[in-house]
Amino acid sequence: IFSFVMIIIFGSYYYSLLIKQIPETFPVFLCIAVVMTYVITKINFRTFLKNADVVFLLACEERLRKYFSLSLIYNLAIQVTVTFVVALIFAPLYAARADESSYSYISVIVLFMFSKVWNVIVYWHSLKLHDKRTLVFDQLLRIFATFLFVYFVLIGAHVFYLLSIAIIKLVFLGYITKIVSRNRQLNWLRLLEMEEKLVTRFLKFIHAFVDVP
């Protein structure tokens, strides 16, 4: 704990020095937008599923509906929290470049968190998609719409532009919801593969600090 506190103290000190050294011509908001877009659109969806007979899982899908609803809530809570923490790190940098037309950073963080919620829900619906083209289109649209929204928020764009992007995002959410309503069957192989990758990544991270059998 002491080492962690010292890292925060020294990190904050050098971070403040770095902010003072950034030239006025440096595209600060653009850089923040790129990083936050990655954080917001990067979804690590945990389901805690174990390898099993896919035929058995197909038969139990209706019974697991409540389980997946709780899983969605869990992922929303974790990933919105991560977005909040990362956004806080950029608070001093944003404050250094903000002007009278800029939004308050509390409003900025709230908008970032709402954007994260939208991304997680859209991603959850995409888990029921099987067509690769649709999946690629879903990912590209999420990234593009999120980047525009984040960048416009950071530069203090007029509310009209933010509402326009928000409406487009809601329309797309309705569109993908309509698509998956035709095929409610989850892509079980993708879910199991995704969960296995996340567990393997976590074990590798833990193995860097302790010996894992």
Side-chain angles (χ1 to χ4, degrees), residues 167-178:
I167 291 173
I168 293 174
K169 294 169 77 171
L170 289 175
V171 169
F172 179 72
L173 177 59
Y175 168 74
I176 195 171
T177 302
K178 184 177 180 180

Side-chain angles (χ1 to χ4, degrees), residues 92-109:
L93 188 57
Y94 179 84
R97 290 298 176 90
D99 53 29
E100 295 179 356
S101 63
S102 301
Y103 296 106
S104 67
Y105 202 63
I106 295 178
S107 302
V108 172
I109 292 179

